[in-house]
Amino acid sequence: MAEEKMARIAREIYENVGGEKNVRKVIHCMTRVRMTIIDNSKVNMAGLKAIDGVMGIVEDETLQVVVGPGTVNKVAKKMVDMVGVKLGETFPNSEGLSFEEQTLANKAAAKAKYNKPSKLKSVLKSISNIFVPMIPAFVGTGLVAGISAVLSNMVLAGDLNAATWQQYIDIMNILKNALFAYLTIYVGINAANEFGATPTLGGVIGGVVMLNGMNPESPIKNIFTGQPLSAGQGGMLGVLLAVWLLSIIEKKLHEMVPESVDIIVTPTISLILIGLLEIFLIMPLAGFVSDNLIGGINGILNIGGAFSGFVLGIAFLPMVMLGLHQILGPIHLEMIAKTGQTNLLPILAMAGAGQVGAALAIWAKLRKDRTLVQNIKGALPVGILGVGEPLIYGVTLPMGRPFITACIGGGIGGAIIGFFGNVGAIAPGPSGVALISLIAHGKWLVYVLGLLGAYAGGFLATYFFGIPKDAKIKADNYGQEVQMETLQPTLRVVTTPAFEAATVYAPMSGTVKELSEVADEVFSSGMLGKGIAIEPSNGQINSPVDGIVTTVFPTKHAIGVTSDEGVEILIHIGMDTVALNGEGFESFVKQNERVKKGDLMLRVDLDKIKAAGLSAITPIVVTNSSAYKAISVAAKNKVDKGQVLLTIEP
């Protein structure tokens, strides 16, 4: 019977909006079906409002039909199933293929397009979210660093006068170091935002690897070797691991520590625990590997030839990711002191050239993805000049396979230089074309051949073997709105007992507002039921009753709870927060889970809501209000979580 009702509502909605062919796409939020209409003149508003089961209509950028929580996802699912597409996917039209043929094609495309993401994809997406926002800074400072490197190399080679140019080079180095000298701090802040930790604490954890404040006369020792720790050991991956652990510790402490002392206790304990772990385990582990890496590098160099060039060219970028490249500086200097040149640097420089080739292949293969192409356009110039971070962290690494094929390109370039042999640089410097002026004994042509080989190798390996299928599908469908996940709640039937009065307690602390003050007609008009709103002062949402969690929306911005007395309560955190797609929201309960009054159900980052320009005001609505004689607001002005908020008379 319920299934028939959902199908009827879906069918009647289509009948009153001009049919399926007048709808561009369908999505839904917690309470309403949202349709993108092609021709608004075909919509019968009176007919929509008259549908049994429709609570109201909101006309906005999309036509919103309010059917209530627990019903909305079923109706929306029926609507897209009737057409043969997924939620959020553009409806087929009459152009080209027939409606039925287009429907079948859409089904096949949707099946391939919306595969369940793997854990690896989730990790790579997180890395992308951390580093992509930094691309403008990488590009700007990277170009400055590249120009500085070219000028510095020309000064070292004697082509420019140091007295004239050195001050300008110093200024550019100051600008460059504003990012690269403190890169781990920026990464720590972004990683904390991504993992749900406090951003400033993430910055502190990122800064720990710099070892500022360590007593040089009594340095902290590597627990594996007994040697002093070196700044930078652990690299970016060490920072990411430490901040991820910070997010776990911080969340657990928020649950355990009383709110009155949470601001003092949680950050202090979190920093101490993660800081000790980072200094005494993560950094020493990286240091242990780097110390033993010298013997491996020397062994490979002794073998010589194309093989050693290939191995070193492939291995360099993974070394950078682990921060192990820090140990190479002394090796370069030792080689220069003994032989007048470092033969290692030109080979390792090929790794960056492989990234350039890979990026060009991605551009060619995924050129329809305009966002990705823009990132590549910004990162390529600095990559050619030898600054690889924008390409690594903004393009190849988040995609996974292109990072590997880029390393293969670096190996090919290294093999070319190793084959000719005795190609060295007279001073340490960046890679890419900026190193050409430092190549010793006029062998710059061999170095250029290596660069071209790495470009070509990275391009071909990536073009034919390095493009992930999901990235290709995304590019081919660029501009189409990604579907919203659906949730099919199996609402637990609760027998309403006789009661004299039921109580709904405040799920959060904050300022009490009338529903009429909410800037959304669905709530302010009482369309969904009677209740109250709270402007929250913190991001913890607790259960307002003893009962059952009936609905947790996939984006976690709304939750439904049914009390033991049968009172159905909807808590909707913020306005239009469905657009955040779950970012800043964390759920601690599942659908059909039993909760007690005061149990933590959700946590939300209020700063993230405000940063997105959205309101955090939270309606708490009794959606089955019509079943009760009266619903009274007990709280006034300010309310603390756990205080009486609403009283219900049967």
Side-chain angles (χ1 to χ4, degrees):
M1 184 68 69
E3 193 73 11
E4 293 177 3
K5 177 184 176 182
M6 305 306 163
R8 175 187 58 76
I9 295 174
R11 185 183 68 253
E12 291 180 5
I13 289 175
Y14 276 139
E15 289 173 356
N16 286 281
V17 297
E20 297 98 328
K21 292 187 179 182
N22 195 38
V23 178
R24 183 75 64 192
K25 63 182 65 174
V26 170
I27 59 174
H28 72 85
C29 62
M30 188 70 173
T31 60
R32 60 199 93 174
V33 176
R34 298 172 182 252
M35 292 174 287
T36 303
I37 300 297
I38 297 172
D39 184 354
N40 288 310
S41 67
K42 295 180 180 181
V43 176
N44 180 0
M45 298 298 295
L48 278 175
K49 293 176 182 178
I51 296 173
D52 181 18
V54 170
M55 305 167 71
I57 305 296
V58 177
E59 295 182 78
D60 202 347
E61 293 181 3
T62 57
L63 180 61
Q64 302 170 23
V65 181
V66 183
V67 293
T71 299
V72 63
N73 44 0
K74 297 177 183 178
V75 171
K77 183 70 165 54
K78 285 288 183 185
M79 291 178 70
V80 293
D81 284 349
M82 290 165 68
V83 179
V85 296
K86 297 289 186 179
L87 281 168
E89 190 172 75
T90 302
F91 280 26
N93 53 47
S94 57
E95 296 176 4
L97 298 175
S98 69
F99 187 83
E100 291 75 19
E101 290 172 334
Q102 186 65 56
T103 297
L104 290 174
N106 278 351
K107 282 185 175 180
K111 183 177 180 181
K113 183 177 180 181
Y114 297 116
N115 287 330
K116 186 177 180 180
S118 65
K119 290 184 178 180
L120 176 60
K121 288 179 182 177
S122 297
V123 171
L124 294 176
K125 186 176 186 300
S126 291
I127 292 175
S128 175
N129 291 341
I130 291 166
F131 287 101
V132 166
M134 300 172 66
I135 285 180
F138 278 136
V139 171
T141 55
L143 282 172
V144 170
I147 295 170
S148 171
V150 171
L151 294 177
S152 296
N153 293 348
M154 294 179 71
V155 167
L156 284 171
D159 297 326
L160 291 178
N161 182 274
T164 302
W165 289 97
Q166 189 59 50
Q167 185 174 10
Y168 300 107
I169 294 171
D170 291 342
I171 291 171
M172 284 186 280
N173 284 334
I174 291 171
L175 295 174
K176 173 197 72 174
N177 289 338
L179 174 66
F180 291 105
Y182 306 102
L183 185 57
T184 56
I185 295 177
Y186 299 124
V187 171
I189 292 171
N190 282 6
N193 278 320
E194 175 65 19
F195 298 141
T198 302
T200 49
L201 295 183
V204 172
I205 292 301
V208 165
V209 300
M210 299 168 67
L211 296 180
N212 287 328
M214 185 173 70
N215 185 355
E217 297 180 1
S218 181
I220 299 171
K221 300 295 180 64
N222 184 320
I223 62 173
F224 295 104
T225 65
Q227 298 300 312
L229 283 179
S230 299
Q233 286 181 349
M236 296 304 163
L237 290 185
V239 173
L240 295 178
L241 174 60
V243 176
W244 176 68
L245 293 172
L246 168 71
S247 69
I248 295 174
I249 294 295
E250 197 177 358
K251 290 170 186 175
K252 292 294 183 184
L253 289 173
H254 279 312
E255 294 178 25
M256 298 165 55
V257 176
E259 191 171 337
S260 58
V261 294
D262 183 61
I263 188 64
I264 299 172
V265 174
T266 297
T268 304
I269 295 179
S270 298
L271 285 178
I272 291 174
L273 289 178
I274 301 302
L276 289 173
L277 182 67
E278 189 173 14
I279 290 172
F280 288 106
L281 184 60
I282 296 174
M283 291 183 68
L285 184 61
F288 173 77
V289 176
S290 64
D291 289 341
N292 288 276
L293 195 64
I294 298 175
I297 290 173
N298 288 332
I300 293 172
L301 285 173
N302 290 335
I303 294 173
F307 175 77
S308 63
F310 182 77
V311 173
L312 290 171
I314 281 181
F316 183 58
L317 285 181
M319 290 167 56
V320 172
M321 289 295 299
L322 291 167
L324 306 182
H325 65 300
Q326 304 286 347
I327 197 64
L328 298 176
I331 295 177
H332 292 317
L333 295 175
E334 183 68 17
M335 287 181 172
I336 292 168
K338 289 183 177 180
T339 66
Q341 65 184 45
T342 168
N343 292 346
L344 184 59
L345 182 57
I347 292 176
L348 299 184
M350 296 299 104
Q355 293 287 323
V356 171
L360 289 170
I362 295 169
W363 187 347
K365 199 83 169 181
L366 306 180
R367 56 188 175 276
K368 293 181 181 179
D369 189 336
R370 292 194 294 273
T371 301
L372 180 61
V373 168
Q374 284 299 112
N375 288 341
I376 294 173
K377 285 180 179 179
L380 265 177
V382 296
I384 292 170
L385 287 172
V387 180
E389 283 85 354
L391 287 176
I392 295 172
Y393 297 118
V395 181
T396 62
L397 183 63
M399 296 177 69
R401 284 163 59 184
F403 179 78
I404 298 172
T405 51
C407 290
I408 292 173
I412 292 171
I416 293 172
I417 292 180
F419 175 79
F420 286 98
N422 199 34
V423 178
I426 61 175
S431 59
V433 298
L435 190 62
I436 293 175
S437 61
L438 287 183
I439 299 300
H441 307 305
K443 292 193 173 183
W444 59 270
L445 183 58
V446 176
Y447 177 75
V448 171
L449 286 175
L451 283 177
L452 295 176
Y455 292 158
F459 181 92
L460 294 173
T462 304
Y463 191 88
F464 291 107
F465 307 107
I467 304 297
K469 290 182 180 178
D470 57 345
K472 185 69 168 65
I473 293 170
K474 178 185 175 184
D476 290 342
N477 293 275
Y478 184 82
Q480 296 186 22
E481 187 172 340
V482 177
Q483 73 177 69
M484 184 183 296
E485 280 188 273
T486 62
L487 181 68
Q488 299 295 340
T490 53
L491 298 181
R492 180 170 173 175
V493 177
V494 180
T495 302
T496 305
F499 60 88
E500 294 184 1
T503 303
V504 176
Y505 297 88
M508 63 185 70
S509 300
T511 304
V512 178
K513 303 281 187 180
E514 295 290 337
L515 278 184
S516 58
E517 298 181 58
V518 177
D520 188 309
E521 184 183 348
V522 173
F523 292 105
S524 62
S525 66
M527 195 181 295
L528 285 174
K530 297 179 181 179
I532 198 67
I534 297 176
E535 186 74 48
S537 57
N538 65 60
Q540 291 194 21
I541 293 89
N542 296 343
S543 177
V545 292
D546 295 342
I548 301 294
V549 177
T550 48
T551 306
V552 181
F553 202 69
T555 53
K556 305 180 186 68
H557 74 288
I559 188 167
V561 184
T562 299
S563 75
D564 289 342
E565 294 86 2
V567 180
E568 297 173 5
I569 304 155
L570 169 66
I571 304 171
H572 193 287
I573 302 99
M575 294 293 102
D576 296 320
T577 44
V578 65
L580 295 176
N581 201 28
E583 289 194 23
F585 293 86
E586 183 179 11
S587 175
F588 297 92
V589 294
K590 297 178 181 178
Q591 180 191 328
N592 289 334
E593 183 176 329
R594 180 160 189 82
V595 289
K596 291 283 189 181
K597 178 180 76 71
D599 286 352
L600 181 63
M601 298 194 300
L602 299 172
R603 181 177 290 123
V604 56
D605 185 343
L606 298 178
D607 290 336
K608 186 157 287 189
I609 292 177
K610 293 173 184 175
L614 303 175
S615 169
I617 191 168
T618 300
I620 298 100
V621 177
V622 177
T623 55
N624 61 340
S625 296
S626 59
Y628 304 111
K629 180 180 179 180
I631 297 175
S632 305
V633 177
K636 305 292 182 184
N637 300 323
K638 297 285 187 179
V639 67
D640 291 326
K641 62 183 177 184
Q643 290 183 347
V644 177
L645 185 67
L646 302 172
T647 56
I648 293 106
E649 296 179 34

